[in-house]
Amino acid sequence: MIADSYDKVLFKKALDNLSNAYCPYSEFPVSAVLVGESGKEYTGVNIENAAYPAGICAERTAMSKAVSEGERNFERIVIATANGEGWPCGICRQFMYEFSPDMKVVAGKNIDNLKAYSLRELLPEGFRLEV
């Protein structure tokens, strides 16, 4: 897949939202902008906790907001970090796959070096209940 001009706009929004990340332990802020099939954009940041498993990644924050508002199908997610390139972890890949295995996933070191893949490319043979 190819990153397009809309991906760059979303990457800039994600960069602008990095300051909302709560990451005192890793000091690795991550921000994501998720686009629903409706066209609505949902932002998310990573939120850490002293009980490490209780933290949540930016991708799942954005998706949880969207799902809680009734959105179930997604077009793309764009991810930005303050410290270089960042891609969804395995948990996030499976979490997103549940809803939209063919969505576009975009990330990169900076706005001029974005890469794009389908979620299926990032998680081949992901598990999904076909509903």
Side-chain angles (χ1 to χ4, degrees):
M1 292 187 137
I2 297 172
D4 57 32
S5 59
Y6 185 40
D7 294 325
K8 289 184 177 189
V9 168
L10 295 173
F11 189 80
K12 174 76 169 81
K13 286 182 182 184
L15 285 174
D16 291 344
N17 197 42
L18 277 172
S19 63
N20 289 326
Y22 179 74
C23 52
Y25 305 100
S26 71
E27 297 181 4
F28 190 80
V30 181
S31 176
V33 180
L34 175 69
V35 180
E37 189 176 69
S38 67
K40 186 172 179 182
E41 297 173 3
Y42 303 88
T43 59
V45 295
N46 56 324
I47 304 166
E48 296 178 348
N49 189 281
Y52 293 131
I56 186 169
C57 299
E59 299 89 336
R60 283 182 286 139
T61 299
M63 188 156 277
S64 294
K65 287 169 64 175
V67 170
S68 71
E69 293 182 26
E71 191 97 41
R72 296 291 188 273
N73 298 300
F74 304 96
E75 176 190 303
R76 70 181 78 199
I77 191 165
V78 179
I79 303 144
T81 72
N83 304 319
E85 199 168 328
W87 291 92
C89 71
I91 294 171
C92 287
R93 291 175 192 206
Q94 180 57 53
F95 193 90
M96 294 186 297
Y97 198 95
E98 176 82 12
F99 297 96
S100 295
D102 295 311
M103 69 187 287
K104 185 178 191 180
V105 181
V106 180
K109 293 180 182 177
N110 57 52
I111 202 164
D112 294 318
N113 293 291
L114 299 177
K115 297 176 190 171
Y117 299 96
S118 73
L119 185 53
R120 282 190 197 276
E121 289 176 295
L122 294 176
L123 186 65
E125 305 299 330
F127 179 77
R128 182 171 190 238
L129 176 65
E130 297 298 329
V131 288

